Amino acid sequence: MVVTNAVSSQVQIKKLKSKIAVCLSRDRFRLKRELERLVNDQRQGKMNDEKFSQLADKVTRSLQKKASRQASVPTLRFPDLPISERKDEIAELIRAHQVVIVCGETGSGKTTQLPKICLSVGRGCAGFIGHTQPRRIAARTVANRIVEELGETMGQSVGYKVRFHDKTQERSLVKVMTDGILLAEIHSDRFLSTYDTLIIDEAHERSLNIDFLLGYLKWLLPRRPDLKLIITSATIDPQRFSKHFNNAPIIEVSGRTHPVEQRYQPIEDSGDENGAVVDLQLAIVAAVQELHRDMRGDILIFLTGERDIRETADALQKSQGQFFDILPLYSKLSIREQERIFKPATRPRIVLATNVAETSLTVPGIRSVIDVGFARISRYSQRSKIQRLPIEAISRASANQRAGRCGRVAPGICIRLYSEEDYLNKPEFTEPEILRTNLASVILQMTTLNLGDIKDFPFLERPDNKMIRDGVKVLHEINALDLNEQMTALGKQIARVPLDPKLARTLIAAHHYRCLTEISIIVSGLSVQDPREKPIDKMHLAESKHEAYKAENSDFLSFFKLWEKFEAKKVEL
């Protein structure tokens, strides 16, 4: 492009501006700034035709890449699910509004079909359709399901990204990920410019990540008018999300639900801790026998954790092993074992799960549910400064979600191992994680991103002042903030490490004390789920193998011994 006079240059500049506005979202800001610099040079009489020509070429390449993405959108087919009946209405809302709340029962198909509805209205061409899940197992499962429906291979139009695994490509249109991955990307891409659409799934879980993301997006959306946001929730308090985003429209999608019979069978309290465990196993075995008699088919049992699942699996194997396949489901299982629940079975199954199966993961073919009424809830103790996982009674909303898992394919039965009075006395909703966790990492992120005082940040529910003070105190203790609550040089180092601030501070201290190799191994072990696997069918073998890595006086040094053995084997093999 050669600019010959002032009039033609103004016409060319206007054309470039309009083209930049529809480039790839990740290129717009950079190209716009480049154009502004050239216009400024022009005003000062420093006209440079070559630079204008180079900018025009960059804009053309960006538009070509966008056109290529648009041409790669696969043929979209929508299965017979409740959300498919309202896909045109949802598509119209997405076109007309920046924020849409999709509210629906579990099993309505919202998680797998919303990305395809977005593709159908042209989203995903200027940037990724980001689709967040609270858990890694859910991100992998959702991505696999969408890929299967599109008849493609992973990474083509749809990919997923979780910790340590990235199955996306630059040409991918839909990127399924954990909400933690999206949060981490904010530090390198403040305006999330690689995305043209974000779907925040399972927002009703109100995890710390979800609440921080929703607050951040409230700040970001006015600065990114091209960005669309879709929030999905089970039928749990959707009005709160709508109000937070200036009364965004809510569309309700009914799940394909069948009647679920509720049976209350409270366990008699023996007053003895060991006796209580036995009473629970006996109650579960009795409930399984009752369901086997009254409702043939797969059974989902909600338990509190790995230990309960192992003990219950042993009890059921002895009494019901001839009738059922017993399958565990919890986060520490290997991917291969987790995926067993999605494979066709020749016999009815009993799936023993933590609350991972409550909302974020749909176990197929469930006819009956047994609910013990408890879950491990993460809670921070200000006194001990420790994030604990105590076992607590679930909320009514969680109990309803659990019961709804068995009304998807046919009429179901839910046996609750507590009384109806207990159910009615439960709190309506689970307390959001931001009200029961240490806020040091949130405050550090906000300070790094210059988002202002946490007291003014647009959270759905503002944390209590004493929790804020405790978070600030932790950052003072590790010298991340000074007395004026400004970030120190050390704080900037800590913020760059994607770990809990205290673990990041430990790494930095290890470098100072010349023991970084050893401490990095221990910190890595503490920041991920336990790498030592204990398959249900090889429990005793696994425990005997793990004995070789035990350090006599320190659990921390066990990680170090395990890593040394791993590295030695890697060289040997």
Side-chain angles (χ1 to χ4, degrees):
M1 177 182 74
V2 178
V3 182
T4 54
N5 55 57
V7 175
S8 63
S9 72
Q10 289 303 317
V11 172
Q12 296 290 1
I13 288 167
K14 197 171 181 180
K15 281 184 181 178
L16 268 182
K17 272 186 180 177
S18 61
K19 286 181 178 179
I20 288 171
V22 291
C23 281
L24 290 174
S25 57
R26 70 180 183 212
D27 296 334
R28 287 174 194 169
F29 181 74
R30 176 175 53 82
L31 295 173
K32 186 180 174 185
R33 288 293 297 272
E34 207 169 319
L35 180 62
E36 285 171 356
R37 282 196 294 270
L38 289 175
V39 169
N40 194 43
D41 287 348
Q42 184 192 40
R43 289 193 188 117
Q44 296 175 18
K46 303 174 185 175
M47 200 62 202
N48 190 320
D49 291 347
E50 187 181 346
K51 284 187 178 179
F52 265 103
S53 184
Q54 288 171 354
L55 177 59
D57 289 343
K58 290 177 186 175
V59 172
T60 301
R61 284 197 297 273
S62 183
L63 289 171
Q64 286 171 345
K65 286 181 182 177
K66 183 182 174 184
S68 175
R69 290 175 68 85
Q70 201 159 2
S72 73
V73 175
T75 304
L76 302 172
R77 298 182 184 86
F78 294 89
D80 182 22
L81 288 166
I83 195 171
S84 301
E85 298 167 11
R86 306 195 67 181
K87 64 181 173 60
D88 294 335
E89 193 178 343
I90 294 169
E92 194 52 46
L93 279 174
I94 293 170
R95 283 193 191 97
H97 299 272
Q98 190 175 16
V99 183
V100 177
I101 317 293
V102 180
C103 170
E105 296 283 357
T106 299
S108 59
K110 57 188 185 298
T111 295
T112 53
Q113 303 312 307
L114 274 173
K116 294 196 287 184
I117 294 172
C118 289
L119 286 171
S120 73
V121 296
R123 309 305 298 179
C125 300
F128 289 123
I129 296 172
H131 191 2
T132 71
Q133 295 293 320
R135 295 175 180 85
R136 282 175 285 179
I137 182 175
R140 287 194 304 266
T141 306
V142 168
N144 283 326
R145 181 65 185 165
I146 300 171
V147 165
E148 189 181 302
E149 289 182 8
L150 293 176
E152 294 187 338
T153 56
M154 182 65 71
Q156 200 171 338
S157 295
V158 180
Y160 71 84
K161 185 177 181 181
V162 297
R163 200 174 193 182
F164 308 126
H165 294 280
D166 186 357
K167 299 289 185 181
T168 60
Q169 300 179 34
E170 189 179 345
R171 62 176 182 167
S172 300
L173 306 173
V174 178
K175 179 178 176 181
V176 188
M177 61 195 148
T178 55
D179 38 35
I181 292 290
L182 184 61
L183 268 179
E185 289 182 5
I186 290 172
H187 289 276
S188 56
D189 182 8
R190 184 179 170 85
F191 292 93
L192 296 174
S193 60
T194 57
Y195 301 93
D196 75 359
T197 308
L198 287 172
I199 302 170
I200 307 296
D201 203 7
E202 310 293 355
H204 59 267
E205 288 203 7
R206 300 293 305 280
S207 69
L208 180 64
N209 284 350
I210 286 173
D211 269 25
F212 184 73
L213 271 174
L214 293 179
Y216 186 78
L217 290 168
K218 169 92 170 174
W219 171 88
L220 177 63
L221 287 173
R223 295 162 175 81
R224 279 281 314 272
D226 59 305
L227 180 67
K228 298 280 188 181
L229 174 63
I230 300 153
I231 297 167
T232 83
S233 169
T235 52
I236 300 174
D237 207 14
Q239 293 296 338
R240 185 182 292 274
F241 300 116
S242 173
K243 186 178 177 183
H244 183 68
F245 288 102
N246 306 319
N247 298 316
I250 298 172
I251 182 163
E252 295 202 21
V253 182
S254 63
R256 183 180 293 137
T257 53
H258 298 270
V260 176
E261 179 189 347
Q262 306 289 350
R263 298 180 184 178
Y264 293 92
Q265 297 178 3
I267 303 170
E268 294 297 325
D269 186 4
S270 63
D272 174 45
E273 189 176 336
N274 292 328
V277 174
V278 174
D279 292 341
L280 175 65
Q281 306 306 327
L282 291 174
I284 289 173
V285 169
V288 168
Q289 290 170 342
E290 181 180 328
L291 292 172
H292 184 54
R293 184 182 67 242
D294 297 350
M295 178 75 70
R296 295 298 174 94
D298 293 357
I299 300 171
L300 175 60
I301 304 178
F302 284 99
L303 295 159
T304 57
E306 181 184 347
R307 180 180 171 183
D308 277 354
I309 287 174
R310 287 206 309 264
E311 290 170 348
T312 304
D314 288 343
L316 289 172
Q317 194 64 51
K318 291 171 187 171
S319 65
Q320 302 295 313
Q322 68 271 37
F323 306 118
F324 294 94
D325 289 330
I326 316 293
L327 301 179
L329 180 63
Y330 52 91
S331 60
K332 277 178 65 175
L333 281 177
S334 66
I335 294 173
R336 180 178 56 82
E337 288 185 297
Q338 287 175 357
E339 289 179 346
R340 284 173 63 198
I341 67 164
F342 301 106
K343 293 177 180 174
T346 54
R347 296 199 302 169
R349 302 175 304 168
I350 298 176
V351 179
L352 308 172
T354 58
N355 54 357
V356 68
E358 195 175 293
T359 55
S360 59
L361 194 68
T362 298
V363 181
I366 296 300
R367 292 295 307 277
S368 309
V369 164
I370 299 171
D371 176 15
V372 300
F374 292 93
R376 287 197 178 273
I377 307 291
S378 176
R379 196 171 290 280
Y380 178 69
S381 168
Q382 287 180 278
R383 180 173 295 177
S384 65
K385 308 293 183 188
I386 291 173
Q387 194 78 30
R388 301 174 300 122
L389 274 173
I391 295 172
E392 297 182 5
I394 60 173
S395 64
R396 289 204 305 276
S398 288
N400 294 339
Q401 284 292 316
R402 291 180 173 191
R405 306 314 261 175
C406 64
R408 297 186 63 227
V409 294
I413 297 173
C414 174
I415 295 181
R416 290 171 168 164
L417 301 181
Y418 46 91
S419 67
E420 187 170 8
E421 184 182 1
D422 280 347
Y423 168 75
L424 295 172
N425 288 332
K426 290 179 184 294
E428 187 176 2
F429 303 118
T430 305
E431 188 180 32
E433 188 181 2
I434 198 158
L435 303 181
R436 51 183 167 82
T437 195
N438 180 255
L439 298 173
S441 60
V442 172
I443 296 167
L444 189 65
Q445 284 189 65
M446 289 181 59
T447 309
T448 306
L449 295 167
N450 296 317
L451 295 177
D453 196 319
I454 189 171
K455 297 185 182 79
D456 303 321
F457 190 70
F459 286 117
L460 267 85
E461 290 179 55
R462 199 172 75 81
D464 192 76
N465 282 336
K466 65 179 181 180
M467 296 296 283
I468 294 173
R469 285 196 299 271
D470 188 79
V472 171
K473 185 180 177 183
V474 168
L475 294 175
H476 283 314
E477 287 170 352
I478 62 174
N479 201 20
L481 296 181
D482 62 22
L483 294 176
N484 297 318
E485 295 186 14
Q486 299 300 308
M487 190 174 287
T488 63
L490 182 60
K492 290 174 182 175
Q493 283 184 283
I494 293 169
R496 284 200 293 267
V497 183
L499 290 171
D500 177 275
K502 286 185 278 190
L503 291 178
R505 179 68 182 92
T506 305
L507 275 181
I508 293 165
H511 175 66
H512 176 74
Y513 288 106
R514 301 181 185 277
C515 54
L516 185 58
T517 300
E518 294 82 0
I519 295 299
S520 62
I521 293 165
I522 293 168
V523 165
S524 298
L526 292 171
S527 66
V528 298
Q529 72 179 32
D530 196 331
R532 294 166 291 193
E533 292 183 358
K534 295 181 180 179
I536 288 283
D537 56 341
K538 297 177 182 175
M539 186 63 61
H540 297 300
L541 177 62
E543 287 177 348
S544 66
K545 294 282 187 185
H546 295 163
E547 281 291 329
Y549 312 123
K550 279 192 177 178
E552 189 175 337
N553 299 316
S554 171
D555 288 338
F556 298 132
L557 288 176
S558 297
F559 285 124
F560 184 62
K561 287 185 71 174
L562 176 60
W563 182 260
E564 283 188 317
K565 184 73 172 177
F566 175 77
E567 287 294 299
K569 280 288 181 187
K570 199 164 76 170
V571 172
E572 181 186 321
L573 299 173

